[in-house]
Amino acid sequence: MQEIVINVKKADNRMEESYKNLRTNIQLCGSDNTVILFTSCSPNEGKSSISFNLARSMAEARKRVLFIDADLRKSVLLGRYRISGNIKGLTHYLSGQCGLDEIIYATQIERLYMILSGIVPPNPAELLDSRLFKMIVAGFKNNYDYVIIDTPPLGNVIDAAIIGQVADAAILVLGAGDISRKFAQITLEQLKKTNCKVLGAVLNKVDLRENGYYGKYYGKYYGEYYGNYTQKQDGGK
């Protein structure tokens, strides 16, 4: 198995604690929730960062984790984590250009493995809806404790709903102030139509300075991690 080096920025202790809390909440939802997709209503809500860091946190808790970048349309992970080299990804395999063992990469984080998105295909929805994709996800359940799948925003394209057919559960990431309540409800209903269990939502980019005790406790940290509260996270998905 090939190995890639991920340039992971060490998060603040309070942020690490928030990922541990998310990890624990998912585990308490039941042992049958091993394939979990993350989606959002629109771009720049932070789903890619949250899903990857959750996968990293699970691996650090001694779980064998596979992170799949299934955003075949506009992945940000290669650039964000400065992954270089001749990387083959999910689209290469689903389009018959390579074998499965050529797209699963070990990382320098023990027990964390990755499948990157690969080249942008002309037919992403069709590839994700293929029998081949469903077969490999079913196989991954036997080899990993958790499979975390980052998907495109469901409010923009149908890909997350397609992946929802093979996932055990889903989590919706919402950027505070980025979308309307109605838009979030519409996206949630669309996700539920796939019969994929929705575990809950992660509210991201919250200005906690205005929320009493918790604002005092977490406010400074979120300011450092997410930047200006009045702006969207730069390049986040």
PDB file of all heavy atoms in Angstrom, residues 3-25:
ATOM      1  N   GLU A   3       1.856   5.241   0.550  1.00  0.00           N
ATOM      2  CA  GLU A   3       1.616   6.159   1.671  1.00  0.00           C
ATOM      3  C   GLU A   3       1.724   7.591   1.188  1.00  0.00           C
ATOM      4  O   GLU A   3       2.549   7.926   0.334  1.00  0.00           O
ATOM      5  CB  GLU A   3       2.625   5.915   2.796  1.00  0.00           C
ATOM      6  CG  GLU A   3       2.385   6.812   4.008  1.00  0.00           C
ATOM      7  CD  GLU A   3       3.254   6.441   5.200  1.00  0.00           C
ATOM      8  OE1 GLU A   3       3.480   5.229   5.401  1.00  0.00           O
ATOM      9  OE2 GLU A   3       3.704   7.364   5.911  1.00  0.00           O
ATOM     10  N   ILE A   4       0.868   8.444   1.721  1.00  0.00           N
ATOM     11  CA  ILE A   4       0.920   9.871   1.443  1.00  0.00           C
ATOM     12  C   ILE A   4       1.105  10.619   2.757  1.00  0.00           C
ATOM     13  O   ILE A   4       0.736  10.126   3.820  1.00  0.00           O
ATOM     14  CB  ILE A   4      -0.354  10.384   0.731  1.00  0.00           C
ATOM     15  CG1 ILE A   4      -1.610   9.997   1.531  1.00  0.00           C
ATOM     16  CG2 ILE A   4      -0.426   9.863  -0.685  1.00  0.00           C
ATOM     17  CD1 ILE A   4      -2.892  10.559   0.941  1.00  0.00           C
ATOM     18  N   VAL A   5       1.711  11.770   2.663  1.00  0.00           N
ATOM     19  CA  VAL A   5       1.917  12.612   3.838  1.00  0.00           C
ATOM     20  C   VAL A   5       0.922  13.764   3.776  1.00  0.00           C
ATOM     21  O   VAL A   5       0.835  14.472   2.784  1.00  0.00           O
ATOM     22  CB  VAL A   5       3.361  13.157   3.903  1.00  0.00           C
ATOM     23  CG1 VAL A   5       3.508  14.098   5.089  1.00  0.00           C
ATOM     24  CG2 VAL A   5       4.347  12.002   3.998  1.00  0.00           C
ATOM     25  N   ILE A   6       0.155  13.916   4.842  1.00  0.00           N
ATOM     26  CA  ILE A   6      -0.864  14.956   4.914  1.00  0.00           C
ATOM     27  C   ILE A   6      -0.355  16.072   5.810  1.00  0.00           C
ATOM     28  O   ILE A   6       0.060  15.827   6.952  1.00  0.00           O
ATOM     29  CB  ILE A   6      -2.177  14.397   5.483  1.00  0.00           C
ATOM     30  CG1 ILE A   6      -2.597  13.150   4.712  1.00  0.00           C
ATOM     31  CG2 ILE A   6      -3.283  15.430   5.431  1.00  0.00           C
ATOM     32  CD1 ILE A   6      -3.697  12.382   5.396  1.00  0.00           C
ATOM     33  N   ASN A   7      -0.385  17.270   5.320  1.00  0.00           N
ATOM     34  CA  ASN A   7       0.061  18.412   6.102  1.00  0.00           C
ATOM     35  C   ASN A   7      -1.090  18.869   7.001  1.00  0.00           C
ATOM     36  O   ASN A   7      -1.903  19.706   6.634  1.00  0.00           O
ATOM     37  CB  ASN A   7       0.497  19.545   5.176  1.00  0.00           C
ATOM     38  CG  ASN A   7       1.093  20.719   5.933  1.00  0.00           C
ATOM     39  OD1 ASN A   7       1.383  20.619   7.128  1.00  0.00           O
ATOM     40  ND2 ASN A   7       1.266  21.832   5.246  1.00  0.00           N
ATOM     41  N   VAL A   8      -1.168  18.273   8.181  1.00  0.00           N
ATOM     42  CA  VAL A   8      -2.259  18.549   9.114  1.00  0.00           C
ATOM     43  C   VAL A   8      -1.833  19.602  10.117  1.00  0.00           C
ATOM     44  O   VAL A   8      -0.849  19.420  10.834  1.00  0.00           O
ATOM     45  CB  VAL A   8      -2.692  17.266   9.851  1.00  0.00           C
ATOM     46  CG1 VAL A   8      -3.843  17.566  10.803  1.00  0.00           C
ATOM     47  CG2 VAL A   8      -3.095  16.195   8.856  1.00  0.00           C
ATOM     48  N   LYS A   9      -2.576  20.677  10.164  1.00  0.00           N
ATOM     49  CA  LYS A   9      -2.300  21.733  11.126  1.00  0.00           C
ATOM     50  C   LYS A   9      -2.872  21.345  12.481  1.00  0.00           C
ATOM     51  O   LYS A   9      -4.039  20.972  12.595  1.00  0.00           O
ATOM     52  CB  LYS A   9      -2.933  23.053  10.655  1.00  0.00           C
ATOM     53  CG  LYS A   9      -2.668  24.231  11.587  1.00  0.00           C
ATOM     54  CD  LYS A   9      -3.328  25.487  11.050  1.00  0.00           C
ATOM     55  CE  LYS A   9      -3.099  26.665  11.988  1.00  0.00           C
ATOM     56  NZ  LYS A   9      -3.780  27.899  11.496  1.00  0.00           N
ATOM     57  N   LYS A  10      -2.046  21.417  13.500  1.00  0.00           N
ATOM     58  CA  LYS A  10      -2.480  21.062  14.843  1.00  0.00           C
ATOM     59  C   LYS A  10      -3.512  22.064  15.336  1.00  0.00           C
ATOM     60  O   LYS A  10      -3.285  23.272  15.349  1.00  0.00           O
ATOM     61  CB  LYS A  10      -1.291  21.039  15.801  1.00  0.00           C
ATOM     62  CG  LYS A  10      -1.636  20.544  17.201  1.00  0.00           C
ATOM     63  CD  LYS A  10      -2.075  19.099  17.192  1.00  0.00           C
ATOM     64  CE  LYS A  10      -2.330  18.595  18.613  1.00  0.00           C
ATOM     65  NZ  LYS A  10      -2.806  17.199  18.637  1.00  0.00           N
ATOM     66  N   ALA A  11      -4.671  21.552  15.699  1.00  0.00           N
ATOM     67  CA  ALA A  11      -5.752  22.419  16.152  1.00  0.00           C
ATOM     68  C   ALA A  11      -5.585  22.777  17.621  1.00  0.00           C
ATOM     69  O   ALA A  11      -4.854  22.133  18.367  1.00  0.00           O
ATOM     70  CB  ALA A  11      -7.096  21.727  15.929  1.00  0.00           C
ATOM     71  N   ASP A  12      -6.286  23.809  18.010  1.00  0.00           N
ATOM     72  CA  ASP A  12      -6.325  24.234  19.396  1.00  0.00           C
ATOM     73  C   ASP A  12      -6.909  23.103  20.249  1.00  0.00           C
ATOM     74  O   ASP A  12      -7.717  22.310  19.795  1.00  0.00           O
ATOM     75  CB  ASP A  12      -7.198  25.488  19.488  1.00  0.00           C
ATOM     76  CG  ASP A  12      -7.258  26.057  20.883  1.00  0.00           C
ATOM     77  OD1 ASP A  12      -8.019  25.488  21.693  1.00  0.00           O
ATOM     78  OD2 ASP A  12      -6.584  27.055  21.152  1.00  0.00           O
ATOM     79  N   ASN A  13      -6.512  23.030  21.497  1.00  0.00           N
ATOM     80  CA  ASN A  13      -6.988  21.974  22.385  1.00  0.00           C
ATOM     81  C   ASN A  13      -8.504  21.947  22.498  1.00  0.00           C
ATOM     82  O   ASN A  13      -9.113  20.879  22.584  1.00  0.00           O
ATOM     83  CB  ASN A  13      -6.372  22.142  23.779  1.00  0.00           C
ATOM     84  CG  ASN A  13      -4.899  21.790  23.800  1.00  0.00           C
ATOM     85  OD1 ASN A  13      -4.423  21.054  22.942  1.00  0.00           O
ATOM     86  ND2 ASN A  13      -4.179  22.320  24.781  1.00  0.00           N
ATOM     87  N   ARG A  14      -9.117  23.120  22.485  1.00  0.00           N
ATOM     88  CA  ARG A  14     -10.575  23.165  22.600  1.00  0.00           C
ATOM     89  C   ARG A  14     -11.232  22.619  21.344  1.00  0.00           C
ATOM     90  O   ARG A  14     -12.281  21.973  21.404  1.00  0.00           O
ATOM     91  CB  ARG A  14     -11.034  24.597  22.880  1.00  0.00           C
ATOM     92  CG  ARG A  14     -10.606  25.098  24.257  1.00  0.00           C
ATOM     93  CD  ARG A  14     -10.924  26.566  24.443  1.00  0.00           C
ATOM     94  NE  ARG A  14     -10.446  27.053  25.731  1.00  0.00           N
ATOM     95  CZ  ARG A  14     -10.436  28.325  26.090  1.00  0.00           C
ATOM     96  NH1 ARG A  14     -10.881  29.240  25.245  1.00  0.00           N
ATOM     97  NH2 ARG A  14      -9.989  28.678  27.269  1.00  0.00           N
ATOM     98  N   MET A  15     -10.615  22.865  20.196  1.00  0.00           N
ATOM     99  CA  MET A  15     -11.161  22.322  18.960  1.00  0.00           C
ATOM    100  C   MET A  15     -11.003  20.810  18.931  1.00  0.00           C
ATOM    101  O   MET A  15     -11.902  20.078  18.504  1.00  0.00           O
ATOM    102  CB  MET A  15     -10.449  22.949  17.754  1.00  0.00           C
ATOM    103  CG  MET A  15     -11.140  22.659  16.436  1.00  0.00           C
ATOM    104  SD  MET A  15     -12.808  23.335  16.396  1.00  0.00           S
ATOM    105  CE  MET A  15     -13.287  22.889  14.736  1.00  0.00           C
ATOM    106  N   GLU A  16      -9.854  20.325  19.395  1.00  0.00           N
ATOM    107  CA  GLU A  16      -9.654  18.890  19.485  1.00  0.00           C
ATOM    108  C   GLU A  16     -10.722  18.265  20.380  1.00  0.00           C
ATOM    109  O   GLU A  16     -11.231  17.176  20.097  1.00  0.00           O
ATOM    110  CB  GLU A  16      -8.259  18.584  20.037  1.00  0.00           C
ATOM    111  CG  GLU A  16      -7.121  18.906  19.081  1.00  0.00           C
ATOM    112  CD  GLU A  16      -7.159  18.039  17.836  1.00  0.00           C
ATOM    113  OE1 GLU A  16      -7.548  16.856  17.934  1.00  0.00           O
ATOM    114  OE2 GLU A  16      -6.823  18.540  16.759  1.00  0.00           O
ATOM    115  N   GLU A  17     -11.061  18.953  21.438  1.00  0.00           N
ATOM    116  CA  GLU A  17     -12.084  18.446  22.349  1.00  0.00           C
ATOM    117  C   GLU A  17     -13.449  18.388  21.661  1.00  0.00           C
ATOM    118  O   GLU A  17     -14.234  17.454  21.895  1.00  0.00           O
ATOM    119  CB  GLU A  17     -12.166  19.335  23.595  1.00  0.00           C
ATOM    120  CG  GLU A  17     -12.973  18.753  24.734  1.00  0.00           C
ATOM    121  CD  GLU A  17     -12.384  17.464  25.280  1.00  0.00           C
ATOM    122  OE1 GLU A  17     -11.151  17.301  25.221  1.00  0.00           O
ATOM    123  OE2 GLU A  17     -13.169  16.626  25.775  1.00  0.00           O
ATOM    124  N   SER A  18     -13.717  19.358  20.791  1.00  0.00           N
ATOM    125  CA  SER A  18     -15.003  19.350  20.085  1.00  0.00           C
ATOM    126  C   SER A  18     -15.102  18.165  19.137  1.00  0.00           C
ATOM    127  O   SER A  18     -16.172  17.564  18.989  1.00  0.00           O
ATOM    128  CB  SER A  18     -15.207  20.669  19.335  1.00  0.00           C
ATOM    129  OG  SER A  18     -14.326  20.767  18.233  1.00  0.00           O
ATOM    130  N   TYR A  19     -13.987  17.780  18.500  1.00  0.00           N
ATOM    131  CA  TYR A  19     -14.002  16.606  17.631  1.00  0.00           C
ATOM    132  C   TYR A  19     -14.153  15.323  18.449  1.00  0.00           C
ATOM    133  O   TYR A  19     -14.812  14.366  18.013  1.00  0.00           O
ATOM    134  CB  TYR A  19     -12.739  16.550  16.771  1.00  0.00           C
ATOM    135  CG  TYR A  19     -12.763  17.550  15.643  1.00  0.00           C
ATOM    136  CD1 TYR A  19     -11.802  18.553  15.548  1.00  0.00           C
ATOM    137  CD2 TYR A  19     -13.753  17.500  14.671  1.00  0.00           C
ATOM    138  CE1 TYR A  19     -11.837  19.487  14.521  1.00  0.00           C
ATOM    139  CE2 TYR A  19     -13.790  18.427  13.647  1.00  0.00           C
ATOM    140  CZ  TYR A  19     -12.831  19.418  13.576  1.00  0.00           C
ATOM    141  OH  TYR A  19     -12.877  20.340  12.558  1.00  0.00           O
ATOM    142  N   LYS A  20     -13.567  15.301  19.618  1.00  0.00           N
ATOM    143  CA  LYS A  20     -13.732  14.136  20.489  1.00  0.00           C
ATOM    144  C   LYS A  20     -15.193  13.998  20.913  1.00  0.00           C
ATOM    145  O   LYS A  20     -15.730  12.883  20.999  1.00  0.00           O
ATOM    146  CB  LYS A  20     -12.828  14.267  21.716  1.00  0.00           C
ATOM    147  CG  LYS A  20     -11.349  14.113  21.411  1.00  0.00           C
ATOM    148  CD  LYS A  20     -10.512  14.294  22.670  1.00  0.00           C
ATOM    149  CE  LYS A  20      -9.023  14.196  22.349  1.00  0.00           C
ATOM    150  NZ  LYS A  20      -8.185  14.412  23.554  1.00  0.00           N
ATOM    151  N   ASN A  21     -15.839  15.134  21.186  1.00  0.00           N
ATOM    152  CA  ASN A  21     -17.252  15.101  21.559  1.00  0.00           C
ATOM    153  C   ASN A  21     -18.106  14.588  20.406  1.00  0.00           C
ATOM    154  O   ASN A  21     -19.026  13.785  20.601  1.00  0.00           O
ATOM    155  CB  ASN A  21     -17.722  16.492  21.980  1.00  0.00           C
ATOM    156  CG  ASN A  21     -17.161  16.923  23.319  1.00  0.00           C
ATOM    157  OD1 ASN A  21     -16.781  16.088  24.139  1.00  0.00           O
ATOM    158  ND2 ASN A  21     -17.094  18.229  23.546  1.00  0.00           N
ATOM    159  N   LEU A  22     -17.798  15.056  19.195  1.00  0.00           N
ATOM    160  CA  LEU A  22     -18.527  14.585  18.016  1.00  0.00           C
ATOM    161  C   LEU A  22     -18.318  13.088  17.826  1.00  0.00           C
ATOM    162  O   LEU A  22     -19.264  12.337  17.556  1.00  0.00           O
ATOM    163  CB  LEU A  22     -18.067  15.363  16.777  1.00  0.00           C
ATOM    164  CG  LEU A  22     -18.683  14.943  15.438  1.00  0.00           C
ATOM    165  CD1 LEU A  22     -20.206  15.086  15.470  1.00  0.00           C
ATOM    166  CD2 LEU A  22     -18.093  15.782  14.304  1.00  0.00           C
ATOM    167  N   ARG A  23     -17.080  12.659  17.982  1.00  0.00           N
ATOM    168  CA  ARG A  23     -16.747  11.235  17.866  1.00  0.00           C
ATOM    169  C   ARG A  23     -17.532  10.398  18.872  1.00  0.00           C
ATOM    170  O   ARG A  23     -18.122   9.364  18.524  1.00  0.00           O
ATOM    171  CB  ARG A  23     -15.247  11.057  18.092  1.00  0.00           C
ATOM    172  CG  ARG A  23     -14.739   9.636  17.999  1.00  0.00           C
ATOM    173  CD  ARG A  23     -13.274   9.609  18.379  1.00  0.00           C
ATOM    174  NE  ARG A  23     -13.070   9.700  19.816  1.00  0.00           N
ATOM    175  CZ  ARG A  23     -11.956  10.131  20.387  1.00  0.00           C
ATOM    176  NH1 ARG A  23     -10.940  10.549  19.661  1.00  0.00           N
ATOM    177  NH2 ARG A  23     -11.850  10.156  21.705  1.00  0.00           N
ATOM    178  N   THR A  24     -17.576  10.862  20.108  1.00  0.00           N
ATOM    179  CA  THR A  24     -18.295  10.132  21.152  1.00  0.00           C
ATOM    180  C   THR A  24     -19.782  10.078  20.871  1.00  0.00           C
ATOM    181  O   THR A  24     -20.430   9.033  21.039  1.00  0.00           O
ATOM    182  CB  THR A  24     -18.044  10.787  22.525  1.00  0.00           C
ATOM    183  OG1 THR A  24     -16.644  10.775  22.803  1.00  0.00           O
ATOM    184  CG2 THR A  24     -18.788  10.046  23.622  1.00  0.00           C
ATOM    185  N   ASN A  25     -20.360  11.191  20.428  1.00  0.00           N
ATOM    186  CA  ASN A  25     -21.787  11.226  20.124  1.00  0.00           C
ATOM    187  C   ASN A  25     -22.140  10.247  19.013  1.00  0.00           C
ATOM    188  O   ASN A  25     -23.187   9.588  19.053  1.00  0.00           O
ATOM    189  CB  ASN A  25     -22.208  12.637  19.732  1.00  0.00           C
ATOM    190  CG  ASN A  25     -22.224  13.589  20.915  1.00  0.00           C
ATOM    191  OD1 ASN A  25     -22.355  13.153  22.057  1.00  0.00           O
ATOM    192  ND2 ASN A  25     -22.085  14.875  20.657  1.00  0.00           N
TER     193      ASN A  25
END
